[in-house]
Amino acid sequence: MSARLVRRIAAVTIPIAAATVMSAGNASADPPHPFGGPALTIGCPNQGSLASLTNLTGQSGPEASPPIAKGDIRFESFPAAPPIPAAAQVTVAWLNTDTGQSGIVDLAGVYPNLSATVNTGEGNVIATGFGSINIGSSPICQANPAIGTFIA
């Protein structure tokens, strides 16, 4: 990867990561917790860009709005920076390392904001989000996985 491309990616992702970490959440529960960084998709040219970024978060319950029960985590994906993909299919695979429960869920909703609430059981959860991204008329590309840890 050329140094120029790395600098461009860093110029986009570092401010996004800082904004995500500093964003305020609901005082009644833990705010949505970001995965380790935006999911980077390389190789889908659009609007002069070779990359697209998608943010992934997980929010543990209990929470009233959106409704999240204790022992559940709401996983969400949304665009992190332009260009915004024309369509996407995002999947989250998770494992509760305390109980051994695991699962795979496709996020759903009105694109580009996709989500799913899953019963992970209470405990420490590790999750990875991945999927396919389609930017306009370009070919479908695979998003690099993003990994996060959560406490349900």
Side-chain angles (χ1 to χ4, degrees), residues 76-128:
E76 294 185 84
S77 71
F78 49 92
I84 296 173
Q89 176 273 313
V90 179
T91 301
V92 173
W94 58 271
L95 169 68
N96 184 320
T97 58
D98 293 337
T99 66
Q101 287 179 264
S102 63
I104 298 175
V105 62
D106 290 328
L107 304 187
V110 178
Y111 184 79
N113 300 302
L114 307 174
S115 66
T117 302
V118 297
N119 182 284
T120 60
E122 293 183 45
N124 293 293
V125 175
I126 186 165
T128 183

mmCIF file of all heavy atoms in Angstrom, residues 76-128:
data_model
loop_
_atom_site.group_PDB
_atom_site.id
_atom_site.type_symbol
_atom_site.label_atom_id
_atom_site.label_comp_id
_atom_site.label_asym_id
_atom_site.label_seq_id
_atom_site.Cartn_x
_atom_site.Cartn_y
_atom_site.Cartn_z
ATOM 1 N N GLU A 76 -25.004 -2.234 15.633
ATOM 2 C CA GLU A 76 -25.436 -1.290 14.611
ATOM 3 C C GLU A 76 -24.287 -1.005 13.645
ATOM 4 O O GLU A 76 -23.125 -1.014 14.040
ATOM 5 C CB GLU A 76 -25.870 0.031 15.229
ATOM 6 C CG GLU A 76 -27.105 -0.061 16.092
ATOM 7 C CD GLU A 76 -27.566 1.299 16.578
ATOM 8 O OE1 GLU A 76 -28.283 1.966 15.813
ATOM 9 O OE2 GLU A 76 -27.189 1.674 17.686
ATOM 10 N N SER A 77 -24.648 -0.731 12.390
ATOM 11 C CA SER A 77 -23.673 -0.260 11.410
ATOM 12 C C SER A 77 -24.247 0.967 10.726
ATOM 13 O O SER A 77 -25.461 1.098 10.559
ATOM 14 C CB SER A 77 -23.350 -1.348 10.386
ATOM 15 O OG SER A 77 -24.434 -1.556 9.517
ATOM 16 N N PHE A 78 -23.352 1.881 10.378
ATOM 17 C CA PHE A 78 -23.751 3.116 9.710
ATOM 18 C C PHE A 78 -22.524 3.687 9.007
ATOM 19 O O PHE A 78 -21.389 3.372 9.365
ATOM 20 C CB PHE A 78 -24.344 4.118 10.713
ATOM 21 C CG PHE A 78 -23.506 4.317 11.950
ATOM 22 C CD1 PHE A 78 -22.552 5.317 12.024
ATOM 23 C CD2 PHE A 78 -23.671 3.486 13.053
ATOM 24 C CE1 PHE A 78 -21.776 5.481 13.153
ATOM 25 C CE2 PHE A 78 -22.900 3.644 14.204
ATOM 26 C CZ PHE A 78 -21.955 4.648 14.242
ATOM 27 N N PRO A 79 -22.734 4.531 7.980
ATOM 28 C CA PRO A 79 -21.596 5.082 7.252
ATOM 29 C C PRO A 79 -20.689 5.900 8.163
ATOM 30 O O PRO A 79 -21.156 6.632 9.031
ATOM 31 C CB PRO A 79 -22.241 5.980 6.194
ATOM 32 C CG PRO A 79 -23.644 5.520 6.094
ATOM 33 C CD PRO A 79 -24.019 4.977 7.434
ATOM 34 N N ALA A 80 -19.383 5.749 7.970
ATOM 35 C CA ALA A 80 -18.421 6.493 8.768
ATOM 36 C C ALA A 80 -17.907 7.725 8.032
ATOM 37 O O ALA A 80 -17.559 8.715 8.655
ATOM 38 C CB ALA A 80 -17.246 5.596 9.147
ATOM 39 N N ALA A 81 -17.822 7.651 6.716
ATOM 40 C CA ALA A 81 -17.301 8.762 5.923
ATOM 41 C C ALA A 81 -17.707 8.562 4.475
ATOM 42 O O ALA A 81 -17.917 7.433 4.033
ATOM 43 C CB ALA A 81 -15.781 8.816 6.032
ATOM 44 N N PRO A 82 -17.839 9.656 3.725
ATOM 45 C CA PRO A 82 -18.171 9.506 2.317
ATOM 46 C C PRO A 82 -17.010 8.853 1.563
ATOM 47 O O PRO A 82 -15.881 8.974 2.013
ATOM 48 C CB PRO A 82 -18.394 10.937 1.843
ATOM 49 C CG PRO A 82 -17.983 11.844 2.937
ATOM 50 C CD PRO A 82 -17.729 11.024 4.159
ATOM 51 N N PRO A 83 -17.238 8.178 0.481
ATOM 52 C CA PRO A 83 -18.532 7.994 -0.163
ATOM 53 C C PRO A 83 -19.373 6.961 0.584
ATOM 54 O O PRO A 83 -18.842 6.005 1.130
ATOM 55 C CB PRO A 83 -18.183 7.491 -1.559
ATOM 56 C CG PRO A 83 -16.870 6.799 -1.377
ATOM 57 C CD PRO A 83 -16.156 7.550 -0.290
ATOM 58 N N ILE A 84 -20.678 7.186 0.626
ATOM 59 C CA ILE A 84 -21.587 6.258 1.296
ATOM 60 C C ILE A 84 -21.931 5.140 0.319
ATOM 61 O O ILE A 84 -22.345 5.405 -0.805
ATOM 62 C CB ILE A 84 -22.858 6.970 1.774
ATOM 63 C CG1 ILE A 84 -22.476 8.007 2.840
ATOM 64 C CG2 ILE A 84 -23.879 5.980 2.320
ATOM 65 C CD1 ILE A 84 -23.621 8.886 3.277
ATOM 66 N N PRO A 85 -21.743 3.891 0.715
ATOM 67 C CA PRO A 85 -22.074 2.779 -0.181
ATOM 68 C C PRO A 85 -23.542 2.812 -0.592
ATOM 69 O O PRO A 85 -24.402 3.267 0.156
ATOM 70 C CB PRO A 85 -21.782 1.539 0.664
ATOM 71 C CG PRO A 85 -20.828 2.006 1.704
ATOM 72 C CD PRO A 85 -21.198 3.432 1.980
ATOM 73 N N ALA A 86 -23.816 2.319 -1.804
ATOM 74 C CA ALA A 86 -25.190 2.285 -2.306
ATOM 75 C C ALA A 86 -26.003 1.195 -1.633
ATOM 76 O O ALA A 86 -27.209 1.309 -1.500
ATOM 77 C CB ALA A 86 -25.183 2.077 -3.818
ATOM 78 N N ALA A 87 -25.351 0.134 -1.200
ATOM 79 C CA ALA A 87 -26.030 -0.973 -0.532
ATOM 80 C C ALA A 87 -25.007 -1.752 0.265
ATOM 81 O O ALA A 87 -23.810 -1.670 -0.003
ATOM 82 C CB ALA A 87 -26.710 -1.877 -1.553
ATOM 83 N N ALA A 88 -25.491 -2.502 1.239
ATOM 84 C CA ALA A 88 -24.568 -3.295 2.043
ATOM 85 C C ALA A 88 -25.304 -4.432 2.715
ATOM 86 O O ALA A 88 -26.502 -4.360 2.948
ATOM 87 C CB ALA A 88 -23.904 -2.427 3.115
ATOM 88 N N GLN A 89 -24.570 -5.467 3.016
ATOM 89 C CA GLN A 89 -25.055 -6.575 3.821
ATOM 90 C C GLN A 89 -23.994 -6.741 4.896
ATOM 91 O O GLN A 89 -22.838 -7.013 4.594
ATOM 92 C CB GLN A 89 -25.204 -7.837 2.968
ATOM 93 C CG GLN A 89 -25.615 -9.079 3.728
ATOM 94 C CD GLN A 89 -24.420 -9.820 4.294
ATOM 95 O OE1 GLN A 89 -23.432 -10.048 3.606
ATOM 96 N NE2 GLN A 89 -24.512 -10.195 5.544
ATOM 97 N N VAL A 90 -24.360 -6.481 6.158
ATOM 98 C CA VAL A 90 -23.411 -6.546 7.263
ATOM 99 C C VAL A 90 -23.829 -7.670 8.197
ATOM 100 O O VAL A 90 -24.992 -7.789 8.566
ATOM 101 C CB VAL A 90 -23.345 -5.205 8.022
ATOM 102 C CG1 VAL A 90 -22.378 -5.298 9.193
ATOM 103 C CG2 VAL A 90 -22.947 -4.071 7.083
ATOM 104 N N THR A 91 -22.866 -8.494 8.569
ATOM 105 C CA THR A 91 -23.084 -9.634 9.449
ATOM 106 C C THR A 91 -22.198 -9.475 10.679
ATOM 107 O O THR A 91 -21.068 -9.009 10.574
ATOM 108 C CB THR A 91 -22.736 -10.947 8.719
ATOM 109 O OG1 THR A 91 -23.560 -11.055 7.562
ATOM 110 C CG2 THR A 91 -22.947 -12.159 9.603
ATOM 111 N N VAL A 92 -22.719 -9.865 11.850
ATOM 112 C CA VAL A 92 -21.930 -9.862 13.083
ATOM 113 C C VAL A 92 -21.906 -11.288 13.625
ATOM 114 O O VAL A 92 -22.951 -11.922 13.786
ATOM 115 C CB VAL A 92 -22.523 -8.897 14.137
ATOM 116 C CG1 VAL A 92 -21.789 -9.041 15.473
ATOM 117 C CG2 VAL A 92 -22.454 -7.458 13.642
ATOM 118 N N ALA A 93 -20.704 -11.790 13.891
ATOM 119 C CA ALA A 93 -20.516 -13.074 14.570
ATOM 120 C C ALA A 93 -20.013 -12.750 15.974
ATOM 121 O O ALA A 93 -19.138 -11.900 16.139
ATOM 122 C CB ALA A 93 -19.513 -13.934 13.823
ATOM 123 N N TRP A 94 -20.595 -13.409 16.991
ATOM 124 C CA TRP A 94 -20.240 -13.073 18.367
ATOM 125 C C TRP A 94 -20.046 -14.328 19.205
ATOM 126 O O TRP A 94 -20.558 -15.393 18.886
ATOM 127 C CB TRP A 94 -21.310 -12.173 18.998
ATOM 128 C CG TRP A 94 -22.679 -12.787 18.986
ATOM 129 C CD1 TRP A 94 -23.617 -12.685 18.003
ATOM 130 C CD2 TRP A 94 -23.246 -13.634 19.997
ATOM 131 N NE1 TRP A 94 -24.729 -13.413 18.343
ATOM 132 C CE2 TRP A 94 -24.531 -13.999 19.555
ATOM 133 C CE3 TRP A 94 -22.798 -14.114 21.211
ATOM 134 C CZ2 TRP A 94 -25.364 -14.830 20.298
ATOM 135 C CZ3 TRP A 94 -23.628 -14.937 21.953
ATOM 136 C CH2 TRP A 94 -24.898 -15.281 21.499
ATOM 137 N N LEU A 95 -19.275 -14.174 20.294
ATOM 138 C CA LEU A 95 -19.020 -15.257 21.234
ATOM 139 C C LEU A 95 -18.978 -14.676 22.640
ATOM 140 O O LEU A 95 -18.235 -13.737 22.905
ATOM 141 C CB LEU A 95 -17.679 -15.935 20.926
ATOM 142 C CG LEU A 95 -17.144 -16.908 21.985
ATOM 143 C CD1 LEU A 95 -18.023 -18.148 22.084
ATOM 144 C CD2 LEU A 95 -15.700 -17.268 21.691
ATOM 145 N N ASN A 96 -19.805 -15.233 23.531
ATOM 146 C CA ASN A 96 -19.757 -14.874 24.940
ATOM 147 C C ASN A 96 -18.682 -15.770 25.549
ATOM 148 O O ASN A 96 -18.864 -16.984 25.676
ATOM 149 C CB ASN A 96 -21.116 -15.099 25.616
ATOM 150 C CG ASN A 96 -21.122 -14.655 27.056
ATOM 151 O OD1 ASN A 96 -20.161 -14.857 27.786
ATOM 152 N ND2 ASN A 96 -22.226 -14.040 27.478
ATOM 153 N N THR A 97 -17.536 -15.183 25.923
ATOM 154 C CA THR A 97 -16.407 -15.970 26.412
ATOM 155 C C THR A 97 -16.629 -16.509 27.821
ATOM 156 O O THR A 97 -15.885 -17.380 28.272
ATOM 157 C CB THR A 97 -15.099 -15.151 26.366
ATOM 158 O OG1 THR A 97 -15.256 -13.967 27.158
ATOM 159 C CG2 THR A 97 -14.753 -14.776 24.933
ATOM 160 N N ASP A 98 -17.644 -16.006 28.530
ATOM 161 C CA ASP A 98 -17.953 -16.504 29.868
ATOM 162 C C ASP A 98 -18.881 -17.714 29.830
ATOM 163 O O ASP A 98 -18.740 -18.636 30.637
ATOM 164 C CB ASP A 98 -18.586 -15.407 30.725
ATOM 165 C CG ASP A 98 -17.610 -14.278 31.029
ATOM 166 O OD1 ASP A 98 -16.387 -14.499 30.973
ATOM 167 O OD2 ASP A 98 -18.087 -13.158 31.315
ATOM 168 N N THR A 99 -19.856 -17.702 28.902
ATOM 169 C CA THR A 99 -20.869 -18.769 28.879
ATOM 170 C C THR A 99 -20.712 -19.741 27.710
ATOM 171 O O THR A 99 -21.326 -20.800 27.716
ATOM 172 C CB THR A 99 -22.282 -18.172 28.791
ATOM 173 O OG1 THR A 99 -22.432 -17.517 27.517
ATOM 174 C CG2 THR A 99 -22.543 -17.194 29.923
ATOM 175 N N GLY A 100 -19.954 -19.342 26.693
ATOM 176 C CA GLY A 100 -19.806 -20.189 25.510
ATOM 177 C C GLY A 100 -20.902 -19.989 24.472
ATOM 178 O O GLY A 100 -20.847 -20.577 23.397
ATOM 179 N N GLN A 101 -21.924 -19.171 24.790
ATOM 180 C CA GLN A 101 -22.965 -18.888 23.806
ATOM 181 C C GLN A 101 -22.334 -18.174 22.616
ATOM 182 O O GLN A 101 -21.406 -17.375 22.781
ATOM 183 C CB GLN A 101 -24.048 -17.972 24.388
ATOM 184 C CG GLN A 101 -24.974 -18.615 25.373
ATOM 185 C CD GLN A 101 -25.976 -17.586 25.883
ATOM 186 O OE1 GLN A 101 -25.762 -17.010 26.942
ATOM 187 N NE2 GLN A 101 -27.041 -17.371 25.138
ATOM 188 N N SER A 102 -22.849 -18.443 21.414
ATOM 189 C CA SER A 102 -22.332 -17.774 20.226
ATOM 190 C C SER A 102 -23.430 -17.679 19.185
ATOM 191 O O SER A 102 -24.470 -18.337 19.292
ATOM 192 C CB SER A 102 -21.132 -18.536 19.661
ATOM 193 O OG SER A 102 -21.532 -19.831 19.234
ATOM 194 N N GLY A 103 -23.196 -16.874 18.180
ATOM 195 C CA GLY A 103 -24.176 -16.746 17.117
ATOM 196 C C GLY A 103 -23.680 -15.869 15.991
ATOM 197 O O GLY A 103 -22.644 -15.207 16.095
ATOM 198 N N ILE A 104 -24.450 -15.885 14.923
ATOM 199 C CA ILE A 104 -24.186 -15.042 13.757
ATOM 200 C C ILE A 104 -25.511 -14.392 13.394
ATOM 201 O O ILE A 104 -26.546 -15.064 13.313
ATOM 202 C CB ILE A 104 -23.657 -15.874 12.572
ATOM 203 C CG1 ILE A 104 -22.333 -16.539 12.952
ATOM 204 C CG2 ILE A 104 -23.495 -14.999 11.332
ATOM 205 C CD1 ILE A 104 -21.795 -17.487 11.895
ATOM 206 N N VAL A 105 -25.502 -13.066 13.175
ATOM 207 C CA VAL A 105 -26.725 -12.341 12.860
ATOM 208 C C VAL A 105 -26.460 -11.367 11.715
ATOM 209 O O VAL A 105 -25.421 -10.708 11.680
ATOM 210 C CB VAL A 105 -27.274 -11.600 14.102
ATOM 211 C CG1 VAL A 105 -26.299 -10.567 14.614
ATOM 212 C CG2 VAL A 105 -28.618 -10.979 13.827
ATOM 213 N N ASP A 106 -27.407 -11.312 10.765
ATOM 214 C CA ASP A 106 -27.368 -10.303 9.714
ATOM 215 C C ASP A 106 -28.072 -9.062 10.241
ATOM 216 O O ASP A 106 -29.183 -9.144 10.770
ATOM 217 C CB ASP A 106 -28.072 -10.797 8.447
ATOM 218 C CG ASP A 106 -27.303 -11.898 7.738
ATOM 219 O OD1 ASP A 106 -26.051 -11.889 7.810
ATOM 220 O OD2 ASP A 106 -27.945 -12.753 7.114
ATOM 221 N N LEU A 107 -27.438 -7.905 10.095
ATOM 222 C CA LEU A 107 -28.066 -6.667 10.517
ATOM 223 C C LEU A 107 -29.126 -6.286 9.488
ATOM 224 O O LEU A 107 -28.975 -6.543 8.303
ATOM 225 C CB LEU A 107 -27.027 -5.557 10.661
ATOM 226 C CG LEU A 107 -25.849 -5.853 11.607
ATOM 227 C CD1 LEU A 107 -24.989 -4.608 11.799
ATOM 228 C CD2 LEU A 107 -26.314 -6.388 12.944
ATOM 229 N N ALA A 108 -30.215 -5.698 9.955
ATOM 230 C CA ALA A 108 -31.337 -5.347 9.077
ATOM 231 C C ALA A 108 -31.771 -3.926 9.370
ATOM 232 O O ALA A 108 -31.330 -3.304 10.328
ATOM 233 C CB ALA A 108 -32.497 -6.318 9.312
ATOM 234 N N GLY A 109 -32.666 -3.407 8.552
ATOM 235 C CA GLY A 109 -33.198 -2.073 8.762
ATOM 236 C C GLY A 109 -33.247 -1.299 7.472
ATOM 237 O O GLY A 109 -33.151 -1.861 6.391
ATOM 238 N N VAL A 110 -33.371 0.010 7.612
ATOM 239 C CA VAL A 110 -33.410 0.899 6.459
ATOM 240 C C VAL A 110 -31.986 1.351 6.175
ATOM 241 O O VAL A 110 -31.371 2.053 6.984
ATOM 242 C CB VAL A 110 -34.333 2.109 6.727
ATOM 243 C CG1 VAL A 110 -34.331 3.052 5.539
ATOM 244 C CG2 VAL A 110 -35.740 1.652 7.055
ATOM 245 N N TYR A 111 -31.447 0.891 5.037
ATOM 246 C CA TYR A 111 -30.071 1.215 4.696
ATOM 247 C C TYR A 111 -29.900 2.721 4.570
ATOM 248 O O TYR A 111 -30.779 3.383 4.053
ATOM 249 C CB TYR A 111 -29.668 0.518 3.382
ATOM 250 C CG TYR A 111 -28.223 0.774 3.077
ATOM 251 C CD1 TYR A 111 -27.244 0.054 3.734
ATOM 252 C CD2 TYR A 111 -27.840 1.778 2.207
ATOM 253 C CE1 TYR A 111 -25.919 0.324 3.517
ATOM 254 C CE2 TYR A 111 -26.525 2.053 1.988
ATOM 255 C CZ TYR A 111 -25.559 1.333 2.636
ATOM 256 O OH TYR A 111 -24.255 1.608 2.439
ATOM 257 N N PRO A 112 -28.834 3.331 5.075
ATOM 258 C CA PRO A 112 -27.577 2.719 5.464
ATOM 259 C C PRO A 112 -27.459 2.399 6.952
ATOM 260 O O PRO A 112 -26.409 1.969 7.400
ATOM 261 C CB PRO A 112 -26.541 3.772 5.072
ATOM 262 C CG PRO A 112 -27.234 5.073 5.325
ATOM 263 C CD PRO A 112 -28.682 4.804 4.972
ATOM 264 N N ASN A 113 -28.520 2.593 7.738
ATOM 265 C CA ASN A 113 -28.452 2.319 9.176
ATOM 266 C C ASN A 113 -29.055 0.949 9.458
ATOM 267 O O ASN A 113 -30.267 0.774 9.398
ATOM 268 C CB ASN A 113 -29.188 3.414 9.943
ATOM 269 C CG ASN A 113 -28.580 4.775 9.684
ATOM 270 O OD1 ASN A 113 -27.402 4.981 9.924
ATOM 271 N ND2 ASN A 113 -29.373 5.686 9.167
ATOM 272 N N LEU A 114 -28.198 -0.010 9.742
ATOM 273 C CA LEU A 114 -28.618 -1.392 9.970
ATOM 274 C C LEU A 114 -28.364 -1.768 11.421
ATOM 275 O O LEU A 114 -27.419 -1.285 12.041
ATOM 276 C CB LEU A 114 -27.844 -2.333 9.047
ATOM 277 C CG LEU A 114 -27.887 -1.994 7.550
ATOM 278 C CD1 LEU A 114 -26.954 -2.914 6.775
ATOM 279 C CD2 LEU A 114 -29.302 -2.091 7.022
ATOM 280 N N SER A 115 -29.207 -2.664 11.981
ATOM 281 C CA SER A 115 -29.012 -3.075 13.374
ATOM 282 C C SER A 115 -29.674 -4.414 13.640
ATOM 283 O O SER A 115 -30.512 -4.872 12.867
ATOM 284 C CB SER A 115 -29.583 -2.029 14.336
ATOM 285 O OG SER A 115 -30.985 -1.964 14.209
ATOM 286 N N ALA A 116 -29.299 -5.007 14.760
ATOM 287 C CA ALA A 116 -29.937 -6.223 15.270
ATOM 288 C C ALA A 116 -29.630 -6.301 16.759
ATOM 289 O O ALA A 116 -28.513 -5.993 17.192
ATOM 290 C CB ALA A 116 -29.420 -7.468 14.561
ATOM 291 N N THR A 117 -30.626 -6.678 17.541
ATOM 292 C CA THR A 117 -30.440 -6.896 18.974
ATOM 293 C C THR A 117 -30.429 -8.398 19.213
ATOM 294 O O THR A 117 -31.340 -9.102 18.783
ATOM 295 C CB THR A 117 -31.566 -6.222 19.781
ATOM 296 O OG1 THR A 117 -31.570 -4.818 19.470
ATOM 297 C CG2 THR A 117 -31.362 -6.409 21.272
ATOM 298 N N VAL A 118 -29.388 -8.875 19.875
ATOM 299 C CA VAL A 118 -29.247 -10.320 20.096
ATOM 300 C C VAL A 118 -29.070 -10.610 21.581
ATOM 301 O O VAL A 118 -28.504 -9.813 22.318
ATOM 302 C CB VAL A 118 -28.069 -10.914 19.292
ATOM 303 C CG1 VAL A 118 -28.296 -10.780 17.813
ATOM 304 C CG2 VAL A 118 -26.751 -10.280 19.668
ATOM 305 N N ASN A 119 -29.572 -11.767 21.997
ATOM 306 C CA ASN A 119 -29.392 -12.216 23.369
ATOM 307 C C ASN A 119 -28.082 -12.975 23.430
ATOM 308 O O ASN A 119 -27.996 -14.122 23.028
ATOM 309 C CB ASN A 119 -30.548 -13.099 23.831
ATOM 310 C CG ASN A 119 -30.361 -13.504 25.277
ATOM 311 O OD1 ASN A 119 -29.556 -14.371 25.567
ATOM 312 N ND2 ASN A 119 -31.088 -12.865 26.158
ATOM 313 N N THR A 120 -27.054 -12.295 23.943
ATOM 314 C CA THR A 120 -25.733 -12.900 24.062
ATOM 315 C C THR A 120 -25.550 -13.556 25.418
ATOM 316 O O THR A 120 -24.568 -14.259 25.631
ATOM 317 C CB THR A 120 -24.641 -11.827 23.891
ATOM 318 O OG1 THR A 120 -24.802 -10.838 24.913
ATOM 319 C CG2 THR A 120 -24.713 -11.175 22.526
ATOM 320 N N GLY A 121 -26.480 -13.301 26.343
ATOM 321 C CA GLY A 121 -26.296 -13.724 27.728
ATOM 322 C C GLY A 121 -25.364 -12.736 28.409
ATOM 323 O O GLY A 121 -24.622 -12.001 27.770
ATOM 324 N N GLU A 122 -25.429 -12.699 29.731
ATOM 325 C CA GLU A 122 -24.568 -11.789 30.472
ATOM 326 C C GLU A 122 -23.140 -12.304 30.458
ATOM 327 O O GLU A 122 -22.894 -13.505 30.531
ATOM 328 C CB GLU A 122 -25.066 -11.649 31.911
ATOM 329 C CG GLU A 122 -26.413 -10.950 31.986
ATOM 330 C CD GLU A 122 -26.880 -10.751 33.406
ATOM 331 O OE1 GLU A 122 -26.064 -10.320 34.249
ATOM 332 O OE2 GLU A 122 -28.056 -11.037 33.667
ATOM 333 N N GLY A 123 -22.181 -11.376 30.341
ATOM 334 C CA GLY A 123 -20.774 -11.745 30.349
ATOM 335 C C GLY A 123 -19.979 -10.959 29.330
ATOM 336 O O GLY A 123 -20.455 -9.990 28.740
ATOM 337 N N ASN A 124 -18.747 -11.385 29.133
ATOM 338 C CA ASN A 124 -17.841 -10.751 28.184
ATOM 339 C C ASN A 124 -18.083 -11.316 26.792
ATOM 340 O O ASN A 124 -18.097 -12.531 26.602
ATOM 341 C CB ASN A 124 -16.388 -11.004 28.604
ATOM 342 C CG ASN A 124 -16.063 -10.286 29.898
ATOM 343 O OD1 ASN A 124 -16.034 -9.064 29.938
ATOM 344 N ND2 ASN A 124 -15.833 -11.051 30.960
ATOM 345 N N VAL A 125 -18.261 -10.415 25.820
ATOM 346 C CA VAL A 125 -18.580 -10.816 24.458
ATOM 347 C C VAL A 125 -17.546 -10.239 23.509
ATOM 348 O O VAL A 125 -17.187 -9.062 23.605
ATOM 349 C CB VAL A 125 -19.994 -10.318 24.057
ATOM 350 C CG1 VAL A 125 -20.287 -10.622 22.595
ATOM 351 C CG2 VAL A 125 -21.048 -10.938 24.966
ATOM 352 N N ILE A 126 -17.052 -11.069 22.615
ATOM 353 C CA ILE A 126 -16.195 -10.612 21.523
ATOM 354 C C ILE A 126 -17.000 -10.781 20.244
ATOM 355 O O ILE A 126 -17.723 -11.774 20.086
ATOM 356 C CB ILE A 126 -14.851 -11.374 21.475
ATOM 357 C CG1 ILE A 126 -13.944 -10.771 20.414
ATOM 358 C CG2 ILE A 126 -15.053 -12.860 21.264
ATOM 359 C CD1 ILE A 126 -12.494 -11.212 20.524
ATOM 360 N N ALA A 127 -16.918 -9.785 19.365
ATOM 361 C CA ALA A 127 -17.720 -9.824 18.142
ATOM 362 C C ALA A 127 -16.898 -9.307 16.975
ATOM 363 O O ALA A 127 -15.981 -8.496 17.153
ATOM 364 C CB ALA A 127 -18.980 -8.977 18.302
ATOM 365 N N THR A 128 -17.229 -9.792 15.792
ATOM 366 C CA THR A 128 -16.624 -9.272 14.567
ATOM 367 C C THR A 128 -17.728 -8.949 13.578
ATOM 368 O O THR A 128 -18.695 -9.700 13.452
ATOM 369 C CB THR A 128 -15.599 -10.262 13.962
ATOM 370 O OG1 THR A 128 -15.003 -9.659 12.813
ATOM 371 C CG2 THR A 128 -16.236 -11.571 13.575
#
